[in-house]
Amino acid sequence: MVFEQVGSPLRAVERETPTPRPGQLLLRVHACGICRTDLHLLDGEVEIKQPPRILGHQIVATVEDIGAGNETAIEAGDRVGVPWLGWTDGTCAWCRSGRENLCPNARFTGCDVDGGFAEYALADARFCFPIPEVYPDEQAAPLMCAGLIGYRALRMCGEAHRIGLYGFGASAHILAQVCSSQGREVYAFTRAGDQKTQAFARELGAVWAGASEDAPPEPLDAAIIFAPVGSLVPLALAAVAPGGTVVCGGIYMSDIPSFPYSELWQERTVRSVANLTRADAREFLPLAPRVPVHTHVTSYRLEQANEALADLRAGRFSGAAVLLP
Ligand SMILES: [Zn+2]
Ligand SMILES: [Zn+2]
């Protein structure tokens, strides 16, 4: 399912099965999660520099073939996951200081290189990870971005006990489970009147769920904003206690309205979280089955990719959506 240009739906195309180059794996895709970032790519809010491009950066696949010079322990037949971070230069100041997520030359799966909305995909073996055995393919797929980047955002919250999650989609539904297992309290914020999502959040352990405009019953220690809505930043700042952090977890957000300095005063912090490092994946993927994280998944056939993306845009499912080639 190929992206050709902004404003057009993905198009089903037949292509030759690709051949892995040195260092690459040929993967047979079993499942690929869809992500809000895919909507931003479709809409041109995040640019695809060289279309046509196969989107999809939450791949669960088995290794069919291995290119020359494989430096990893991955073997043919292994089940692996492929995340958004697809390649880094390894030599820049960010890569050399454990911040490869900020590499200026990074290539992202399903954006700079072809991704997993396909039957086959290529991936750099060094950026593929074993999938915990207990997860079926479709339950594992949302771990690869919703889980990984959500977990990175949670780490930016430090020891915060009361955590607000603004936008209760794929990432938040995973994080709520992680937070509960760590003894933290989750406060879920949704669109006003979205009783269904608020009930879903409570089922997953949220101690409170309400509208984004509502004040939580207790001041929060931190908040993570997953919805791409800039006006949530001052709302979240108003909900966090002195010293609290507001983390913006998405790749794109509408403009943040101006707000009085007093909302930031008392050492409140606003920050973004960008991409992921391989260290994040090595930490989170083994952790997920120990929580245990159960992902709630709505599955679509690969050729239903446009329908799945429209359903994500309209909020027609709870949890995560996954394409099954
Ligand atoms: Zn994503
Ligand atoms: Zn780099």
Side-chain angles (χ1 to χ4, degrees):
M1 294 299 292
V2 175
F3 168 92
E4 292 177 326
Q5 59 181 0
V6 171
S8 298
L10 304 182
R11 197 160 71 86
V13 172
E14 288 291 338
R15 282 192 184 172
E16 293 285 311
T17 302
T19 303
R21 295 189 299 276
Q24 286 186 323
L25 307 175
L26 172 65
L27 302 172
R28 190 157 70 82
V29 180
H30 296 299
C32 188
I34 69 168
C35 174
R36 184 156 292 280
T37 295
D38 297 317
L39 295 182
H40 298 313
L41 293 166
L42 277 178
D43 294 346
E45 290 156 345
V46 178
E47 189 191 7
I48 291 180
K49 294 191 184 76
Q50 293 179 304
R53 180 64 67 218
I54 299 170
L55 307 190
H57 58 269
Q58 305 189 80
I59 303 175
V60 176
T62 49
V63 178
E64 288 263 307
D65 194 11
I66 299 182
N70 177 29
E71 296 167 3
T72 72
I74 296 172
E75 296 176 353
D78 286 358
R79 187 171 72 145
V80 296
V82 184
W84 171 243
L85 187 72
W87 185 89
T88 55
D89 59 21
T91 56
C92 73
W94 289 273
C95 283
R96 283 186 286 113
S97 57
R99 296 177 294 165
E100 63 183 358
N101 59 310
L102 302 177
C103 177
N105 297 312
R107 294 177 198 152
F108 297 107
T109 309
C111 178
D112 304 310
V113 296
D114 283 337
F117 292 181
E119 294 168 281
Y120 289 91
L122 296 175
D124 187 312
R126 298 167 302 169
F127 292 81
C128 297
F129 303 91
I131 295 286
E133 276 178 24
V134 296
Y135 288 104
D137 297 325
E138 55 195 295
Q139 264 75 40
L143 301 175
M144 295 310 301
C145 183
L148 283 178
I149 294 182
Y151 185 70
R152 183 173 179 84
L154 178 62
R155 193 134 43 69
M156 302 308 169
C157 296
E159 298 299 307
H161 179 64
R162 294 192 187 99
I163 297 204
L165 301 177
Y166 286 77
F168 203 86
S171 264
H173 102 284
I174 292 172
L175 271 200
Q177 300 171 55
V178 175
C179 287
S180 297
S181 80
Q182 295 174 339
R184 307 188 202 231
E185 290 183 355
V186 168
Y187 296 74
F189 296 82
T190 72
R191 285 197 191 92
D194 187 352
Q195 306 291 345
K196 184 167 152 249
T197 304
Q198 290 171 14
F200 180 56
R202 285 190 208 94
E203 272 170 40
L204 293 176
V207 298
W208 177 92
S212 297
E213 297 75 19
D214 292 348
E218 306 279 350
L220 306 172
D221 301 311
I224 305 173
I225 303 176
F226 290 114
V229 181
S231 59
L232 292 174
V233 172
L235 286 173
L237 269 174
V240 299
T245 299
V246 174
V247 180
C248 302
I251 193 167
Y252 170 86
M253 188 179 250
S254 56
D255 286 355
I256 301 169
S258 92
F259 55 87
Y261 177 62
S262 59
E263 305 270 290
L264 186 64
W265 171 240
Q266 292 194 304
E267 301 195 344
R268 290 179 178 86
T269 304
V270 178
R271 66 166 302 159
S272 62
V273 155
N275 314 316
L276 72 145
T277 66
R278 283 173 283 181
D280 294 328
R282 287 188 204 106
E283 188 175 329
F284 176 71
L285 291 174
L287 173 75
R290 294 203 303 268
V291 167
V293 170
H294 294 288
T295 57
H296 294 244
V297 165
T298 302
S299 299
Y300 299 82
R301 297 190 313 276
L302 175 61
E303 57 271 31
Q304 293 177 297
N306 290 308
E307 185 185 331
L309 289 159
D311 287 354
L312 172 61
R313 195 187 290 281
R316 279 192 280 264
F317 54 79
S318 297
V322 172
L323 300 182
L324 302 176

